[in-house]
Amino acid sequence: MIDLLVDVMSEPFFDQLRTKEQFGYNVSVDVRWTYGIMGISFEVVSSSKSASQITERIDKFIIEFRETLRNMKHETFAEHICGLAQEKLEMHNSMAEETDSLWAEIMDKRYDWEISRNEACALRSIKIQEAIDCYDRWLLGMKGDTKKKEGPKAEAAPTFGKKNCLTVQTVGCNGDGRPSIESADIDSHVDELVDKFHRHANHTTWKTNL
């Protein structure tokens, strides 16, 4: 599901922030797998915007894209599923590439030697409403029924709750957003932030039964 959401968001995210707004010269959204914790990574590198401005713009995109996803035609959604499935079923270009893929399964302790094929098969059963529900929960922290309802019996809009989010701001020169940290304290500061993220995520990891 995360792969599918990233596939749906990638082109609009790049088109809006890079092509139209020239907000940054390196704009991307990708899947992250960090010690068993899956997530979505939004990255914007800019020479003209501050770290706080970039963070605010990413948050704004996430909120605005919700409506785009809710209004997406089923045909368009199906095209994303087919395209992603085809990408996952592509053959490895070399033995080294295949070895890296299998070794990653060992390192992550998943041991799913047909991971790409299994994920491609799983895509066939995903409905657009399921993707919307996951987007609302994971990226917006929404609670309650998020399905679009109309008429006199329409219920109140779902409420926003907490979401697991780690913001990394890297500033190359003095300016707004640069943390005031001594060089000797950088390692401990990074470790503290990572530990805080793991606590916030309740130390969620990938579990498998062997």
Side-chain angles (χ1 to χ4, degrees):
M1 179 63 78
I2 289 181
D3 287 339
L4 180 58
L5 289 176
V6 168
D7 186 77
V8 172
M9 284 189 292
S10 292
E11 193 278 332
F13 184 66
F14 181 89
D15 181 60
Q16 184 63 41
L17 273 69
R18 176 67 179 87
T19 305
K20 294 180 179 179
E21 299 181 13
Q22 296 291 307
F23 206 86
Y25 56 84
N26 187 359
V27 177
S28 65
V29 55
D30 203 353
V31 177
R32 286 294 299 247
W33 176 278
T34 308
Y35 299 108
I37 299 177
M38 295 191 69
I40 299 176
S41 171
F42 295 86
E43 180 180 355
V44 176
V45 181
S46 174
S47 59
S48 60
K49 304 295 183 179
S50 68
S52 59
Q53 287 176 317
I54 292 174
T55 300
E56 291 174 2
R57 187 63 188 88
I58 293 175
D59 288 339
K60 182 181 179 183
F61 172 85
I62 293 174
I63 294 174
E64 292 175 342
F65 188 76
R66 179 178 188 263
E67 195 63 23
T68 301
L69 182 60
R70 286 167 66 87
N71 293 329
M72 182 174 292
K73 295 180 180 180
H74 288 276
E75 294 81 3
T76 303
F77 186 74
E79 290 176 359
H80 282 285
I81 289 181
C82 292
L84 182 59
Q86 183 177 359
E87 180 181 327
K88 289 183 175 294
L89 292 176
E90 289 181 353
M91 295 183 64
H92 296 290
N93 294 319
S94 64
M95 183 175 293
E97 187 177 293
E98 183 176 4
T99 300
D100 289 341
S101 176
L102 297 175
W103 186 249
E105 291 301 306
I106 297 175
M107 294 295 293
D108 295 331
K109 299 181 179 180
R110 295 189 302 184
Y111 308 112
D112 187 349
W113 314 123
E114 298 290 339
I115 182 66
S116 296
R117 175 183 176 279
N118 293 337
E119 288 180 348
C121 291
L123 285 170
R124 295 183 300 179
S125 63
I126 296 179
K127 308 299 182 183
I128 189 169
Q129 186 58 50
E130 294 175 328
I132 294 172
D133 291 341
C134 289
Y135 187 92
D136 288 344
R137 289 197 309 271
W138 297 342
L139 294 175
L140 296 174
M142 280 189 168
K143 298 179 179 179
D145 190 355
T146 62
K147 294 182 180 179
K148 185 184 296 184
K149 297 182 180 180
E150 301 176 352
K153 295 184 179 181
E155 299 179 0
T159 59
F160 288 86
K162 292 183 178 180
K163 60 180 179 180
N164 295 331
C165 177
L166 173 66
T167 302
V168 179
Q169 299 180 348
T170 304
V171 182
C173 60
N174 290 330
D176 181 33
R178 182 172 186 174
S180 178
I181 304 172
E182 297 295 332
S183 299
D185 300 328
I186 291 179
D187 289 343
S188 59
H189 179 71
V190 171
D191 290 340
E192 181 181 347
L193 291 177
V194 172
D195 184 62
K196 182 179 179 181
F197 171 74
H198 279 290
R199 293 199 306 271
H200 188 68
N202 295 321
H203 296 278
T204 303
T205 57
W206 180 282
K207 296 181 180 180
T208 182
N209 296 321
L210 300 179

